[in-house]
Amino acid sequence: MSADSKVFVMGEEVGEYQGAYKVTKGLLQKFGPDRVLDTPITEAGFAGLGVGAAMYGLKPIVEFMTFNFAMQAIDHLINSAAKTNYMSGGTINVPIVFRGPNGAAAGVAAQHSQCFAAWYGQVPGLKVLVPYDAEDARGLMKAAIRDPDPVVFLENELLYGESFPVSKGVLDPSFTLPIGKAKIMREGNDLTLVAFSKMVGYALKAADELAKEGISVEVINLRSIRPLDRETINASVRKTSRLLTLEEGWPQHGVGAEICASVVEESFYYLDAPVERICGADVPMPYAANLERLAVPQIDDIIRAARRACFRKEDMRQATA
């Protein structure tokens, strides 16, 4: 915002309240009410305003208090923001960022717990980013704002309270990350485990436990759902010969399904075991805490799936029982 006067932020409680999750803290005092705009509770209204402003040449950052509320504005995201460049023959760009928390939090039930990565990842014209740590958040957000196309930036509410180490390079004002490039968080030889957002942390913890059993896991942080870094995924699978995908979203037509299809199409003859998806349960999110835990992947689920992929006897017996 300091470097480009065309960038502005709008959304519910982004200004006076400093953001529902304090992501926009201090921006109103620094840039003023003309560039940090509090809106009424009308997602369809302010999302449409943002798309129009982007078509005019500004660079809006539209915050949804949760992406579940973005369904009120989904026509603007898909039919206006995503398709206008194509429908105008490339004459109109829509440089807008839609950002906010996505996926399950804690105790907010079915209407506030959905993962929209697969929803928006299917749409030509959108770019869909899914940061995990502080490096991802900083580098991908700057890249998203500078991008000439509409970007859906899916954060995670539970990650707002976590701290991550960062290098001096990440703090450099010029630091950005390329859109569409995954990151290998941990190298391994026995199994490829692909995850995004909060599930990357679960994948890394599971990999630590599996290492104690002699299973070497390569963990890939997608960073980007669309475009999807198929090259990095397939290169890893050709090395490890096994694939697990991990996501909070529902299994049918999910991100993991697309990754598995890509690997079967491009690297099938390198596989030594069936591919497997670890997903959220195929049900609306329960409210009760004990049921909620059963509805989203846990570290033990990852460990059991990894043992199956590596043909460890105890889990093969369970799988065929």
Side-chain angles (χ1 to χ4, degrees):
M1 292 179 72
S2 297
D4 190 342
S5 61
K6 293 181 179 180
V7 179
F8 70 96
V9 179
M10 65 190 306
E12 297 157 358
E13 299 183 342
V14 298
E16 294 291 347
Y17 190 67
Q18 307 288 302
Y21 301 98
K22 309 309 174 191
V23 174
T24 54
K25 184 177 181 180
L27 294 184
L28 177 63
Q29 287 69 31
K30 185 173 183 178
F31 296 104
D34 289 339
R35 296 183 66 195
V36 183
L37 307 177
D38 280 321
T39 67
I41 304 174
T42 171
E43 284 77 12
F46 64 76
L49 286 170
V51 172
M55 291 179 180
Y56 189 73
L58 300 178
K59 298 179 180 180
I61 304 170
V62 173
E63 175 179 315
F64 295 115
M65 194 177 293
T66 162
F67 257 92
N68 298 278
F69 299 158
M71 285 199 290
Q72 301 289 333
I74 199 166
D75 182 64
H76 292 301
L77 274 75
I78 293 176
N79 279 329
S80 297
K83 298 177 182 178
T84 293
N85 183 258
Y86 175 81
M87 294 178 70
S88 68
T91 61
I92 302 175
N93 289 108
V94 188
I96 187 171
V97 177
F98 300 100
R99 57 153 297 272
N102 168 71
V108 291
Q111 293 175 323
H112 298 96
S113 300
Q114 296 162 119
C115 177
F116 289 90
W119 292 47
Y120 292 114
Q122 191 185 27
V123 181
L126 291 179
K127 293 174 181 174
V128 183
L129 305 182
V130 281
Y132 162 60
D133 56 16
E135 176 181 324
D136 291 357
R138 179 174 172 82
L140 292 174
M141 176 57 73
K142 291 176 70 174
I145 294 170
R146 296 174 181 179
D147 199 272
D149 297 314
V151 178
V152 173
F153 201 86
L154 301 174
E155 301 162 15
N156 185 278
E157 178 182 336
L158 297 181
L159 290 177
Y160 289 148
E162 290 198 26
S163 298
F164 298 92
V166 293
S167 65
K168 290 184 179 179
V170 174
L171 298 176
D172 189 286
S174 63
F175 176 77
T176 60
L177 289 171
I179 291 175
K181 183 63 178 174
K183 179 183 180 182
I184 297 176
M185 304 290 287
R186 176 187 179 121
E187 293 193 356
N189 298 309
D190 298 327
L191 172 70
T192 297
L193 177 53
V194 183
F196 61 92
S197 190
K198 185 178 71 173
M199 289 292 106
V200 175
Y202 282 40
L204 291 170
K205 290 176 182 177
D208 287 340
E209 294 300 314
L210 289 163
K212 299 174 185 177
E213 303 178 15
I215 299 176
S216 174
V217 179
E218 182 147 293
V219 177
I220 296 178
N221 170 11
L222 283 178
R223 285 181 166 170
S224 175
I225 301 297
R226 187 181 186 99
L228 185 66
D229 189 356
R230 302 171 194 272
E231 182 179 354
T232 293
I233 296 167
N234 278 279
S236 177
V237 170
R238 292 181 183 194
K239 179 177 71 170
T240 68
S241 300
R242 295 175 175 88
L243 171 69
L244 294 179
T245 67
L246 175 62
E247 62 185 307
E248 282 186 310
W250 294 312
Q252 186 161 326
H253 307 131
V255 174
E258 177 64 23
I259 293 169
C260 290
S262 175
V263 167
V264 168
E265 290 170 353
E266 300 179 42
S267 304
F268 178 78
Y269 292 106
Y270 290 85
L271 291 170
D272 287 340
V275 298
E276 185 170 342
R277 296 171 294 155
I278 308 167
C279 308
D282 197 20
V283 296
M285 179 64 71
Y287 173 70
N290 58 331
L291 297 178
E292 180 184 65
R293 189 178 188 281
L294 294 172
V296 292
Q298 303 296 327
I299 293 171
D300 286 345
D301 300 322
I302 306 168
I303 292 172
R304 285 193 294 269
R307 289 172 180 160
R308 286 194 295 272
C310 294
F311 301 109
R312 293 301 171 96
K313 291 182 179 178
E314 60 272 21
D315 279 274
M316 288 307 296
R317 283 198 298 267
Q318 293 174 14
T320 57

